[in-house]
Amino acid sequence: MYHVGRTVVLCFLLAAISFGARFTFWGRGQSMSRHGDWRNVRGVGVRRWVVFVAIILLGAFHACEVRAMRPVWPPCETVYPAFSHASLEEVMDKLRSSRDRESYCLQMQLPRFGERALAPLVALLRSDSELGRVNAASGLGLMREQAISAAPDLEHALDDPSGRVRAMVLYALTTIQPRSPALTTTLLKRLEETNPASLDGEALISTVASLGPLPPEALPVLQQVLERIPLYDPRAARDAIESISHVAAPQRLPVLARLVGDKDPQRSARAVLALGRSGVWAVPVLLSRLADSSDPGRQAYERALQWAWYVAATPALAAYYQADMPVLLRQLRTPDAVARKQAIEQLASVAPAFAAAIPLPGQGEESLGMAQSRCTVMDALSASHPPDKQERKAILAVAMTVRQAAPDSTCPVPIY
């Protein structure tokens, strides 16, 4: 479904304007012809058709704009009302062969069954049906903390013969335990043994990049992985550099600084962003590189230094880059009121960063990342429904601060 109401209203307006324009200009032409003033009849006709064509073009442009809009799916309760009353056995039976929207709506019912759904989902994860295994992994991911005991079964499924299943298992694992040191170690070991140019390698690199802070021992592994990524695979290289920037060790800064002068401009640009986000910590490394006037990457170092100084001089932006946003957004859903309050307070402190993140020259990619993060934050705020009225007011205040950075954004605003 699209924004049909807006489209219908505009079409009626266009039709009314078009009819009015034709009637007015045609009437003026007839009146002039009756009075013998033939000199302006042609001019009136030309103006009439210019306005008419302009209105048609306006309508066509709006139609294209509407077609390009992302479809807004109706709620599952509207499309499949019977699912909300289905038993666990009925849901599991349908998950063996359901696809797309139906599958997603079925999976959304799993959390209401709690731990009772884990054993059937694990059994489905081991079944012969590829589609069933995909749905089982996705369903376990949607159950989040409720599925923590199924993590070992999911790790075993990382060796599934189906690439679709392996990709969904990665999603489920990082959703269920996104900051698990044991999972991080497991994924780094698998990444070390996997060809980074393969689909599995790219999925692993992307997953590691989304894990947040990484231990110091991840740095040599990621360096070796980056060296094995071919130049024709910029996405994997981007995620590998992003992962290096998350390593909790100062040694990452010289590694990123060397990448700034890389012969591949895309790797250099990603390293510039990663160093710039480090703020004041990256300044000494960048200044030492700039001291060598013969360095071919001097302009890139200057951009990185400009971005680093900007981050260092903007407290909200520096706090945003240091915050573990996935954990904060996850805490919004926890039943612990103290943890929720702490998350809301920290989100309030970093919310001005979205308005402060003015894109510098050559930093368009970072601006895009901030826009995506803004929508992620707004989605999480909209999905939280705390029972306390003061807490809801605090969430709404954070959401409005985030939205001020882009008033025309389509990100949702919490409504209570």
Side-chain angles (χ1 to χ4, degrees):
M1 291 180 64
Y2 297 93
H3 299 272
V4 179
R6 176 185 167 194
T7 307
V8 170
V9 171
L10 185 59
C11 286
F12 273 116
L13 288 174
L14 290 175
I17 294 171
S18 173
F19 179 79
R22 292 189 62 185
F23 179 82
T24 301
F25 289 134
W26 180 258
R28 287 183 61 186
Q30 293 293 331
S31 175
M32 290 178 184
S33 65
R34 284 195 300 268
H35 288 81
D37 189 1
W38 293 96
R39 293 172 298 175
N40 293 322
V41 172
R42 183 176 180 182
V44 170
V46 171
R47 288 196 299 272
R48 180 188 68 195
W49 284 108
V50 166
V51 172
F52 187 64
V53 170
I55 292 172
I56 292 177
L57 291 176
L58 178 62
F61 173 80
H62 178 74
C64 294
E65 180 189 17
V66 169
R67 289 179 62 87
M69 285 182 179
R70 184 176 60 182
V72 179
W73 293 102
C76 289
E77 294 79 5
T78 303
V79 183
Y80 301 107
F83 286 0
S84 59
H85 306 289
S87 65
L88 177 60
E89 291 74 17
E90 292 172 335
V91 170
M92 294 304 306
D93 183 62
K94 287 181 176 293
L95 280 178
R96 296 180 185 277
S97 58
S98 62
R99 296 177 181 271
D100 304 328
R101 181 66 171 169
E102 182 185 33
S103 171
Y104 174 76
C105 291
L106 284 167
Q107 294 166 28
M108 292 296 291
Q109 298 299 317
L110 292 172
R112 68 183 172 92
F113 299 111
E115 294 184 357
R116 290 195 299 121
L118 296 184
L121 284 172
V122 169
L124 185 59
L125 189 64
R126 298 172 179 170
S127 69
D128 295 333
S129 169
E130 179 187 13
L131 184 58
R133 298 199 302 275
V134 170
N135 289 337
S138 178
L140 287 169
L142 286 174
M143 292 185 69
R144 299 183 182 275
E145 294 88 349
Q146 291 179 312
I148 190 68
S149 62
D153 298 283
L154 284 166
E155 290 188 22
H156 182 73
L158 285 171
D159 295 318
D160 193 278
S162 168
R164 292 177 59 200
V165 176
R166 293 194 298 271
M168 192 57 70
V169 166
L170 279 175
Y171 154 77
L173 281 170
T174 54
T175 304
I176 292 170
Q177 44 181 7
R179 295 297 182 266
S180 166
L183 176 62
T184 300
T185 302
T186 299
L187 295 182
L188 287 172
K189 182 175 177 56
R190 296 184 73 91
L191 182 58
E192 196 174 10
E193 300 169 351
T194 305
N195 177 11
S198 64
L199 292 177
D200 282 346
E202 291 183 354
L204 279 169
I205 295 171
S206 177
T207 302
V208 170
S210 67
L211 289 177
L214 297 172
E217 54 267 24
L219 185 58
V221 175
L222 294 171
Q223 283 184 268
Q224 295 176 7
V225 168
L226 184 61
E227 292 172 358
R228 292 188 286 131
I229 296 176
L231 292 177
Y232 60 78
D233 195 350
R235 179 178 177 180
R238 178 199 66 190
D239 290 337
I241 296 172
E242 184 71 17
S243 300
I244 291 174
S245 71
H246 294 164
V247 176
Q251 291 83 0
R252 77 180 187 278
L253 297 174
V255 173
L256 292 171
R258 287 193 293 271
L259 289 170
V260 169
D262 195 276
K263 60 182 179 181
D264 180 6
Q266 296 191 35
R267 297 189 183 202
S268 176
R270 172 57 58 171
V272 165
L273 295 175
L275 274 174
R277 290 198 299 263
S278 300
V280 69
W281 303 105
V283 171
V285 177
L286 292 169
L287 288 176
S288 64
R289 287 280 173 170
L290 283 170
D292 183 6
S293 58
S294 63
D295 196 317
R298 185 176 183 84
Q299 289 185 344
Y301 288 121
E302 289 176 350
R303 289 198 303 272
L305 184 62
Q306 182 186 16
W307 183 241
W309 276 126
Y310 179 71
V311 171
T314 312
L317 198 55
Y320 169 80
Y321 286 130
Q322 293 172 9
D324 195 347
M325 294 300 293
V327 169
L328 288 179
L329 300 183
R330 191 183 183 90
Q331 286 178 337
L332 290 175
R333 298 188 302 269
T334 181
D336 187 352
V338 176
R340 287 201 311 269
K341 182 180 179 181
Q342 292 175 348
I344 294 170
E345 290 176 351
Q346 191 167 354
L347 283 171
S349 67
V350 303
F354 292 100
I358 302 172
L360 297 174
Q363 308 302 326
E365 188 176 0
E366 184 70 5
S367 177
L368 176 62
M370 292 295 290
Q372 294 172 342
S373 181
R374 180 175 60 243
C375 277
T376 301
V377 171
M378 295 292 281
D379 286 338
L381 292 171
S382 300
S384 61
H385 297 282
D388 184 66
K389 184 177 180 181
Q390 294 299 323
E391 198 171 331
R392 291 198 295 269
K393 287 184 177 179
I395 287 178
L396 184 59
V398 174
M400 295 309 296
T401 303
V402 174
R403 188 173 179 80
Q404 285 175 3
D408 297 332
S409 172
T410 57
C411 304
V413 177
I415 300 177
Y416 299 115

